Amino acid sequence: MYELRDKLAIVRVTEPSVRTFVEQMLGGLGATEREARINADGIVTACLWWHPGQGQGLRKLFRYARRMRNGGIVPNAPMRWVTERTSTALLDAAKGLGYVSSQMAMDKAIEKARQTGIAMVGVQHSNHFGIAGYHAKQAADAGLLGVVMTNAGAEMAPWGSARPVLGTNPWGMSVPRSGGHAPIVLDMALSMSGKGMMRWLQREGLAMPDSWALTPEGRSTTHPNEAMDGPLLPIGAYKGYGLSLITDVLTGVLTGSLFGVDVFRDDTNFDVAHTMIAIDPEAFMDRATFGERLERLLEDVLAAPPIDPARPVQLPGEAEQRLAHERRLHGIPVERANFEELQALASEIGVPFSLEPVD
């Protein structure tokens, strides 16, 4: 992971103050207390898990402010269940907050999976939902396996083209563990990286790997500025393109929302779709047997000798857990320019600027 070269360019703030600040900001923009609490938890998790350049934490507040004012995100949206069967359901998010509609959908999937063994719940007419792994972990925290996916704005070209048609279309997957272990949480976009990280490298004056994106003409480059208007490259070459396509089928096409080049195009109507799947391991075997078999697999994985002894093999989600622990102790990094912009935004909205720098 890239590190900030100029340590003076960041401010470290306490986790509790971030949570309070986000709740106040969302409340000032019209969110209900429940919506603000749910959405703030997602944003705080992003701050704890991810690099500032990935743009999923406090930087998202600028988008929330713009879109909650222009009608793109509707506070206290009248979400409703459109269809519901034994193991499936479809939620109309009514342009509400994505973290809120996703939590409702996963709650429903968990409830149904406990009865049927597996359940799939779709969400239509939603907004950006943040971290896919966050929503998948909701299932693992309930003792179930979780699979989550969403479509997104067109930033990836079909393999062999340079015209963006598909989104990064992230996936989240989670597996509960026994013995007090944290769950396995896989969180990944289907592109090698994202435009947010490319913008951060631009600001830092750093090069990017030539596997991240192409120029608009389809040429590989290590200069983020040359590729900013070009397509992102998929993980696994043509395989990632295929996964992104199928993800859009299982989200946008299947739920009745927008898909392909139309998602995110209108700032007042993103019309994003999500799919939440929950699986109860007890539909296949008793929980103790599943836990024992899982730990045997993980023992084999973790026992694999590392190529670099200083970097032992780890499970999906472990890096994020360690980063979250470090940031709870030493503060969440916020770019100083972003810190000052948030201060101005808070003043504009009329809420206290409650971010507290770590001493």
Side-chain angles (χ1 to χ4, degrees):
M1 179 63 71
Y2 290 94
E3 297 293 338
L4 285 165
R5 295 190 300 175
D6 182 359
K7 300 302 182 183
L8 297 178
I10 66 169
V11 180
R12 288 191 174 269
V13 296
T14 65
E15 178 197 359
S17 74
V18 173
R19 190 175 300 275
T20 298
F21 177 65
V22 176
E23 289 185 14
Q24 290 173 333
M25 290 283 279
L26 293 173
L29 291 165
T32 66
E33 184 177 337
R34 170 179 167 272
E35 288 176 326
R37 183 180 65 254
I38 291 170
N39 223 87
D41 190 61
I43 290 176
V44 169
T45 301
C47 290
L48 292 170
W49 283 8
W50 284 4
H51 188 285
Q54 290 170 295
Q56 289 295 335
L58 288 169
R59 189 175 292 276
K60 276 290 183 283
L61 287 175
F62 299 102
R63 179 190 285 185
Y64 280 113
R66 183 183 74 249
R67 302 193 62 243
M68 291 174 81
R69 288 162 162 169
N70 69 15
I73 298 175
V74 177
N76 199 22
M79 299 184 189
R80 65 183 182 89
W81 295 104
V82 179
T83 62
E84 187 167 350
R85 295 186 179 183
T86 306
S87 59
T88 61
L90 176 63
L91 177 69
D92 182 349
K95 297 178 70 173
L97 290 157
Y99 271 110
V100 176
S101 63
S102 298
Q103 184 180 101
M104 288 177 61
M106 183 53 88
D107 279 342
K108 180 70 76 173
I110 290 168
E111 173 191 338
K112 289 181 174 295
R114 283 177 169 153
Q115 299 299 317
T116 65
I118 184 170
M120 177 171 162
V121 177
V123 182
Q124 63 177 199
H125 311 322
S126 186
N127 279 292
H128 181 269
F129 78 168
I131 312 175
Y134 173 86
H135 302 295
K137 185 175 179 292
Q138 186 180 336
D141 289 341
L144 281 68
L145 290 82
V147 180
V148 171
M149 59 190 75
T150 186
N151 63 0
E155 293 183 302
M156 183 193 299
W159 190 247
S161 174
R163 178 180 175 234
V165 174
L166 299 166
T168 59
N169 296 357
W171 285 20
M173 299 183 185
S174 66
V175 182
R177 294 180 67 187
S178 57
H181 295 292
I184 298 170
V185 179
L186 173 65
D187 183 290
M188 64 178 192
L190 298 180
S191 59
M192 290 296 292
S193 189
K195 293 292 176 73
M197 198 66 191
M198 289 167 58
R199 292 187 188 97
W200 180 81
L201 291 176
Q202 270 187 314
R203 294 193 297 273
E204 290 289 297
L206 297 172
M208 68 179 190
D210 64 4
S211 60
W212 278 18
L214 301 175
T215 68
E217 300 76 31
R219 177 174 53 82
S220 64
T221 180
T222 60
H223 301 289
N225 57 307
E226 293 183 351
M228 201 56 69
D229 294 326
L232 296 173
L233 287 170
I235 61 172
Y238 62 89
K239 298 177 183 179
Y241 148 61
L243 288 172
S244 180
L245 174 64
I246 297 302
T247 301
D248 217 350
V249 173
L250 292 174
T251 54
V253 174
L254 189 61
T255 68
S257 286
L258 295 180
F259 50 83
V261 297
D262 293 325
V263 186
F264 282 26
R265 176 174 287 184
D266 182 352
D267 197 52
T268 66
N269 184 37
F270 273 13
D271 203 357
V272 183
H274 323 306
T275 297
M276 311 284 165
I277 301 170
I279 305 166
D280 187 351
E282 293 190 83
F284 300 89
M285 63 187 65
D286 65 81
R287 188 165 295 275
T289 300
F290 171 76
E292 185 273 331
R293 290 172 60 82
L294 174 63
E295 292 307 314
R296 280 168 44 202
L297 170 62
L298 300 184
E299 285 174 8
D300 288 344
V301 170
L302 294 173
I307 296 171
D308 179 355
R311 303 179 65 182
V313 173
Q314 57 186 341
L315 299 175
E318 280 193 299
E320 290 82 357
Q321 292 164 26
R322 282 195 294 272
L323 195 58
H325 176 72
E326 187 271 334
R327 288 178 175 174
R328 288 189 176 102
L329 290 176
H330 304 294
I332 290 169
V334 181
E335 291 179 79
R336 187 169 295 278
N338 195 18
F339 183 86
E340 294 168 356
E341 291 164 353
L342 287 166
Q343 192 169 19
L345 183 62
S347 176
E348 180 184 325
I349 294 171
V351 300
F353 184 67
S354 50
L355 291 179
E356 297 178 0
V358 175
D359 294 333

